[in-house]
Amino acid sequence: MRKILVTGGCGYIGSHTIVDLLEHGYEVISIDDNSRSSAFSVNGIEKITGKKVKNYKVDLKNFDETQAVFQENTDIAGVIHFAAYKAVGESVAAPLLYFENNLFSLINLLKCVEEFSIPHFVFSSSCTVYGNPDSIPVTEAFPIKKAESPYGATKQMGEEMLTDFTKNGACDAILLRYFNPVGAHPSAILGELPIGKPQNLVPAITQTAIGKLPKMKVFGNDYDTRDGSCIRDYIHVCDIAHAHTLAIQYLENTKNEGPCDIFNLGTGLGVTVLEAIQTFEEVSGVKLNYEIAPRRPGDVIAIYANNDKAVNKLGWQIKYGIKEMMKTAWDWELKLKAEADSVKNN
Ligand code: WQD
């Protein structure tokens, strides 16, 4: 059974990807320092799959501790790298924190990939590298625009580092550019655990609907779009997860055209903020308490993917639509509340 190392395996997309890898016959280990994730995620993974996953609680900025994991696991067939800070606003307030964490972690990891001759590497990138595109939908050939935030800059630099690193044949790599990952595992055993007040739309919706937040803001309804609110390509976290399994298989079967292939992970459909809210209200039966607020600086007006490459080359088939995204996100929020209530009542 081929062993895959997932960094950030206790995080939102990492934990869902581990479930998918296990369900497709891989053995998995994780490196996650749990600074921004819950160590209990591995329990959820075991509940869903019946399989145990060992998480090494290691800070990837510590080279010796990272190297020790590779020394202990000499049969790693591939690495999927999620571990990074990803809050756009925080990165603007603390750029050095983001450059140090996101780039030093990647450099240490690649040093180990080189030292231990790991053949395959999948990198968690983001549509944020496209900035405000000149037209939509965007393909992987679209130009990279100047990053709107230090977070986005670390994703662009990570892509450049991997492009140069793989040129020497050290390993082959795939860069996966996620659009907007949302939703939760259909079992409601795994889902997103935002730290503090949620910055992203869907957790802001579900936390407002459940009563954790009194009201949410729609950042602008005066954009040049069909209803004035921003357009995004929301993609279910389980569809994102399965694309990582397909990416590893693609590399193992040496189907990649070059040493570092790029794929967009989006549905190809644009949804406005107000449409997302309306869909949530329909599937949850909850009337959402929100107000129209001023635009959020740095917001891209409209972006969604051309996903033909991932569909045709990776064989990626999207299973979840916007209704299931909202339904699974709401079921997860309800589950969190039920667990919190049971703790309170015991
Ligand atoms: C979506 C839309 C907001 C919250 C960011 C990163 C991206 C990725 C996903 C990591 C925008 C609006 C939001 C709210 C709102 N991060 N909104 N009220 O900004 O598209 O992408 O998160 O992988 O790299 O850039 O996602 O969910 O923050 O915002 O109106 O309370 O929802 O203005 O139009 P975004 P988002």
Side-chain angles (χ1 to χ4, degrees):
M1 194 187 299
R2 298 179 306 293
K3 182 185 282 183
I4 302 295
L5 164 62
V6 173
T7 74
C10 295
Y12 175 43
I13 304 175
S15 57
H16 286 81
T17 298
I18 291 178
V19 166
D20 198 87
L21 287 165
L22 293 171
E23 288 175 341
H24 287 83
Y26 289 92
E27 184 186 351
V28 181
I29 56 170
S30 166
I31 291 181
D32 194 315
D33 66 3
N34 296 138
S35 62
R36 300 202 171 186
S37 62
S38 164
F40 291 105
S41 300
V42 288
N43 301 13
I45 291 166
E46 186 177 351
K47 254 193 215 164
I48 294 170
T49 64
K51 296 177 182 174
K52 284 189 179 303
V53 172
K54 178 170 183 168
N55 178 59
Y56 292 83
K57 191 168 180 174
V58 161
D59 180 347
L60 289 169
K61 296 194 291 297
N62 181 318
F63 176 75
D64 293 343
E65 289 184 10
T66 302
Q67 187 187 46
V69 175
F70 286 82
Q71 285 163 339
E72 187 180 318
N73 296 274
T74 53
D75 54 348
I76 293 171
V79 174
I80 302 180
H81 180 44
F82 293 102
Y85 295 160
K86 63 147 201 138
V88 172
E90 181 187 42
S91 78
V92 173
L96 288 182
L97 178 73
Y98 273 67
F99 291 129
E100 181 186 45
N101 185 69
N102 293 4
L103 299 179
F104 282 16
S105 297
L106 178 55
I107 290 166
N108 280 343
L109 204 50
L110 292 180
K111 282 180 178 176
C112 292
V113 164
E114 191 167 55
E115 180 183 346
F116 295 91
S117 308
I118 309 298
H120 309 307
F121 195 94
V122 177
F123 179 65
S124 166
S125 190
S126 168
C127 64
T128 202
V129 302
Y130 296 115
N132 242 320
D134 296 330
S135 64
I136 38 180
V138 296
T139 72
E140 292 83 354
F142 268 44
I144 301 302
K145 293 275 187 78
K146 175 153 179 17
E148 306 264 344
S149 68
Y151 159 75
T154 65
K155 287 301 178 186
Q156 289 180 352
M157 291 181 211
E159 290 196 354
E160 286 173 37
M161 285 158 63
L162 277 159
T163 302
D164 292 339
F165 177 75
T166 54
K167 272 182 189 145
N168 308 330
C171 75
D172 54 22
I174 282 181
L175 313 177
L176 295 177
R177 290 176 179 165
Y178 313 155
F179 281 68
N180 286 59
V182 297
H185 192 271
S187 64
I189 292 172
L190 283 178
E192 191 170 8
L193 286 168
I195 297 168
K197 189 172 182 300
Q199 300 306 305
N200 295 136
L201 179 66
V202 173
I205 288 174
T206 58
Q207 288 197 15
T208 302
I210 202 92
K212 273 187 191 167
L213 299 172
K215 180 187 275 193
M216 71 165 278
K217 293 179 177 174
V218 170
F219 296 127
N221 68 343
D222 56 352
Y223 287 100
D224 182 16
T225 64
R226 51 184 177 266
D227 64 14
S229 64
C230 291
I231 293 174
R232 292 290 183 276
D233 186 333
Y234 298 99
I235 174 80
H236 196 282
V237 63
C238 291
D239 280 325
I240 291 269
H242 186 52
H244 289 76
T245 303
L246 293 172
I248 285 285
Q249 291 170 344
Y250 183 83
L251 292 172
E252 287 179 317
N253 300 327
T254 57
K255 290 186 179 172
N256 45 313
E257 289 163 357
C260 192
D261 280 359
I262 302 171
F263 294 93
N264 283 340
L265 296 187
T267 62
L269 301 172
V271 172
T272 72
V273 173
L274 292 172
E275 288 165 350
I277 289 174
Q278 188 186 348
T279 305
F280 173 80
E281 291 180 327
E282 282 164 17
V283 301
S284 66
V286 174
K287 185 88 182 79
L288 195 69
N289 186 14
Y290 69 88
E291 64 181 356
I292 303 297
R295 297 179 175 189
R296 183 172 71 172
D299 263 341
V300 165
I301 300 167
I303 187 167
Y304 54 89
N306 174 314
N307 65 7
D308 292 346
K309 200 176 163 190
V311 169
N312 298 328
K313 291 189 177 298
L314 293 183
W316 190 45
Q317 292 175 349
I318 291 162
K319 287 188 184 158
Y320 299 88
I322 189 69
K323 287 189 175 175
E324 293 88 359
M325 293 178 215
M326 292 302 172
K327 178 76 173 59
T328 53
W330 182 231
D331 290 345
W332 168 246
E333 194 66 64
L334 289 168
K335 170 76 176 300
L336 290 175
K337 181 168 188 332
E339 284 174 349
D341 289 351
S342 67
V343 166
K344 213 185 309 176
N345 300 335
N346 289 340

